[in-house]
């Protein structure tokens, strides 16, 4: 449900990155007081189900902004 509003990602290297993992990365950075900095190389490849072809960087920012 949380990721339904994410934009579609139809190209580039981030298309198949795990949005749940990206969200958790952003959440962790915010809780630890770090500057928002999406690090796609640290995110696993997986976009099954509801997050298929969704924007992982947008998921990162969602996690970050909900927890800062």
């Amino acid at each position: 449900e949380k990721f339904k509003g994410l934009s579609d990602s139809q190209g580039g290297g981030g298309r198949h990155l795990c949005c749940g993992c990206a969200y958790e990365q952003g959440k962790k950075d915010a809780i630890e007081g770090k500057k928002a900095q999406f690090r796609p190389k640290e995110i696993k490849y997986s976009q099954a189900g509801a997050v298929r072809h969704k924007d992982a960087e947008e998921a990162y920012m969602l996690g970050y902004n909900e927890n800062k």
Side-chain angles (χ1 to χ4, degrees):
E1 289 294 315
K2 180 180 289 291
F3 303 119
K4 280 186 177 181
L6 294 177
S7 301
D8 289 337
S9 178
Q10 294 301 320
R15 181 176 183 189
H16 296 287
L17 294 177
C18 175
C19 287
C21 299
Y23 176 88
E24 290 298 321
Q25 183 186 77
K27 177 180 175 180
K28 183 175 185 269
D29 286 353
I31 291 170
E32 293 177 358
K34 295 179 180 177
K35 181 180 174 185
Q37 184 176 347
F38 179 58
R39 300 174 305 284
K41 291 183 180 181
E42 297 177 13
I43 305 296
K44 296 178 183 179
Y45 282 96
S46 174
Q47 284 218 342
V51 295
R52 184 145 179 85
H53 297 160
K54 295 294 185 178
D55 189 319
E57 187 168 4
E58 195 174 325
Y60 170 90
M61 290 309 301
L62 180 66
Y64 189 86
N65 289 327
E66 284 184 352
N67 293 281
K68 66 176 183 173

